[in-house]
Amino acid sequence: MTEKKDVHHHIENDPAFKGLAVNAGIEKPEVVNDESIKRFLNKKRKLLPAGDYVNGILEGNITLLSKAVTLVESSKREHQEVAQEIIKECLPYSGKSIRVGITGVPGVGKSTFIEAMGSYITSQGGKLAVLAIDPSSERSKGSILGDKTRMEELSGDKNAYIRPSPSAGSLGGVARKTRETIILCEAAGFDHVFIETVGVGQSETAVHSMTDFFLLLMLAGAGDELQGIKRGIMEMADLVAINKADGNNLERAEIAKVQYKNALHLFPSKESQWEPEVLTCSAFNKIGIEAIWEQIEKYKNLTTNSGYFYQRRNAQATYWMYETIEENLKRNFYDHPEIKEKLKVMENYVRNDAMSSFVAAGELLDLYSRLK
C-alpha cells in the first residue's frame, strides 16, 4: 500500500533544514459560491408588455430603450414576438434622422472620430445614437463590446446613446438586428444615428444598405494608401476623411488627399449626383470635424431637394423586407426538430464521402418542403 502524499508538505520542514519551520496552511476556499450561481440563473427578468416599452421609448427612457434593443437582438421566440410588436408601434415615429455609416481600416481611429463628431453634434443641440458593431468570436460567440469605454466623453453626454452590439456571426460584422435598432433609436428622439462597422470588408455593403451617408476613414503614411482599398468600398463612399492629419503626419496626409481625389475621379458618377470629397482631419485634436459635418448636411440638402434621399430610403426598406424573409426561412428550417435530426445523419454521410454535399442539401430541402 502506497503512502498517501501530503499535498501540503513543505521541504523546509525536512530535518535537513533545522531551525526553519513553515505552517502547512489551509485549503483554498472556493472562489465562486454555487448557491449564488443557482439563484442568479433561476432569477428571470420580468418581460413587460410591449406597450410599456413603447411608451418608455417615446418618452426618451434610455433604460427601456436598452431593454427593448436587447429583446430585438435576442434569439428567443418569446422575446422576438414582443420585439416585433415594439418595432411595429415605433415605426410611425421613426425615419426623422440622418443615418451615417462610418468605416475604415483597423487603427484608423473610428471611436476617437465618432466621439469628436458626436460631441460636436450634441453641442449644436442634436441627439446622437451610436450603434457600434463589435466582432464576435466564431469559436465562443463572445464579444468584448469595448466601444463604450473608448468613448468616455460621449458616454457621459445626456444627448448621446452608445449601444455596442455583438455581430453574432453576421456577414462581416454587421449585427443582425441593426436596422430595427435604428427604428427604436429614432422613435426615442435621436435625430442622428451613426453605425460603426468592424473594419473594411464585406460588412460595408450591409451598412451601406441601411444608411443615408457613407463615410470612409483612412490613414496617411501607412504605406501605399490605395493598395489595400477595395474598389467597391471607394465606390460606396460619399466622403473620404484622412484621419490623424497632425504633427509630422500632416504633409503625408495632404499627399494622400491628392491620391484619393485622383482615384475617386476614375469611378462612375453616383445615382445621387453627389460628388464625393476628400478631406483631412485630426479627431484627437478635433480639427476638421466641423468641415466634415458640413459636407454631410450639404449631401442631405442636395438629395432631399432632388427626391433621391427618400427614394433611397424606400429602396432600402424593400431590400430589408427580402432579407428578413430569407432570415426567417433559414431560422425556421434549422429550428425544425425533424430537420435537426436529419442534419446529423446527412452531416456524417458528407464527412465520410458517402454522399455529396449537393445531394445531401437537396434531400434536406425536399424533406422540409414535405414537412410544411
Side-chain angles (χ1 to χ4, degrees):
M1 183 175 179
T2 57
E3 184 180 350
K4 187 177 179 181
K5 186 178 180 181
D6 182 7
V7 294
H8 298 297
H9 174 71
H10 289 268
I11 193 171
E12 295 88 342
N13 291 330
D14 192 280
F17 295 92
K18 290 180 180 180
L20 291 176
V22 178
N23 292 331
I26 60 172
E27 290 282 354
K28 184 178 179 181
E30 292 292 332
V31 178
V32 180
N33 188 302
D34 290 336
E35 290 300 319
S36 298
I37 295 175
K38 289 178 182 178
R39 285 198 299 270
F40 177 79
L41 294 175
N42 291 331
K43 184 179 178 181
K44 292 185 177 179
R45 290 183 179 179
K46 187 179 178 182
L47 195 61
L48 302 174
D52 290 0
Y53 293 105
V54 174
N55 292 334
I57 290 169
L58 297 180
E59 291 170 3
N61 187 315
I62 298 301
T63 301
L64 286 175
L65 170 61
S66 296
K67 289 182 177 180
V69 173
T70 300
L71 293 177
V72 168
E73 293 175 347
S74 174
S75 58
K76 290 186 177 180
R77 189 172 293 274
E78 61 268 28
H79 290 174
Q80 277 300 303
E81 289 174 359
V82 177
Q84 292 307 311
E85 186 63 30
I86 296 170
I87 293 167
K88 182 181 177 182
E89 295 296 323
C90 288
L91 196 57
Y93 302 94
S94 66
K96 299 175 183 178
S97 75
I98 174 74
R99 305 166 183 172
V100 181
I102 300 176
T103 190
V105 294
V108 75
K110 291 190 289 292
S111 296
T112 307
F113 176 86
I114 290 172
E115 182 166 53
M117 180 68 78
S119 298
Y120 173 76
I121 289 171
T122 56
S123 70
Q124 300 298 307
K127 293 189 69 178
L128 172 68
V130 179
L131 308 181
I133 313 302
D134 205 55
S136 296
S137 166
E138 288 296 321
R139 180 175 298 179
S140 66
K141 307 302 180 186
S143 300
I144 297 175
L145 302 178
D147 295 87
K148 199 165 184 175
T149 60
R150 291 199 296 267
M151 304 178 196
E152 292 181 12
E153 183 181 337
L154 204 59
S155 296
D157 194 322
K158 62 182 177 62
N159 290 318
Y161 172 66
I162 303 174
R163 176 72 185 201
S165 301
S167 62
S170 297
L171 177 63
V174 178
R176 183 172 53 93
K177 297 295 183 180
T178 302
R179 194 169 188 278
E180 285 87 344
T181 303
I182 292 173
I183 293 170
L184 300 186
C185 290
E186 290 176 341
F190 293 98
D191 50 7
H192 300 76
V193 179
F194 286 178
I195 304 176
E196 177 196 357
T197 68
V198 177
V200 174
Q202 291 174 305
S203 63
E204 278 62 36
T205 303
V207 170
H208 188 258
S209 66
M210 65 176 78
T211 53
D212 307 310
F213 190 92
F214 194 72
L215 173 61
L216 174 62
L217 288 176
M218 292 306 302
L219 283 172
D224 187 347
E225 276 73 32
L226 299 178
Q227 183 66 30
I229 306 303
K230 295 181 180 178
R231 178 185 172 96
I233 304 296
M234 291 289 288
E235 286 180 319
M236 285 189 291
D238 296 305
L239 175 68
V240 177
I242 302 168
N243 194 22
K244 302 184 180 181
D246 46 36
N248 296 331
N249 208 36
L250 190 57
E251 185 178 347
R252 287 191 289 266
E254 289 298 326
I255 295 172
K257 179 179 177 180
V258 175
Q259 291 179 328
Y260 287 127
K261 275 192 171 184
N262 292 336
L264 288 173
H265 286 310
L266 301 175
F267 301 139
S269 300
K270 289 181 174 288
E271 189 179 350
S272 61
Q273 302 305 311
W274 170 258
E275 293 291 335
E277 276 286 342
V278 181
L279 299 178
T280 59
C281 68
S282 171
F284 183 78
N285 295 315
K286 297 186 178 180
I287 299 172
I289 301 299
E290 185 176 350
I292 292 174
W293 185 249
E294 286 175 357
Q295 285 292 310
I296 296 174
E297 288 190 320
K298 184 179 177 182
Y299 171 89
K300 185 180 180 182
N301 292 333
L302 173 70
T303 54
T304 300
N305 293 333
S306 68
Y308 176 79
F309 188 88
Y310 295 105
Q311 177 188 337
R312 176 170 167 75
R313 283 269 181 105
N314 293 336
Q316 288 177 344
T318 305
Y319 169 83
W320 284 103
M321 178 189 74
Y322 284 109
E323 285 293 308
T324 304
I325 291 171
E326 289 185 20
E327 179 187 318
N328 288 335
L329 286 172
K330 184 178 178 180
R331 186 176 64 245
N332 291 338
F333 175 83
Y334 285 110
D335 285 348
H336 198 288
E338 291 191 43
I339 293 296
K340 283 183 178 179
E341 288 297 318
K342 192 68 173 177
L343 267 171
K344 296 176 184 176
V345 177
M346 290 301 185
E347 187 176 325
N348 285 329
Y349 285 159
V350 173
R351 282 178 181 273
N352 296 316
D353 292 329
M355 184 182 292
S356 75
S357 56
F358 298 104
V359 173
E363 289 195 15
L364 286 166
L365 291 171
D366 287 342
L367 173 61
Y368 183 64
S369 64
R370 293 196 301 272
L371 292 171
K372 290 189 296 180

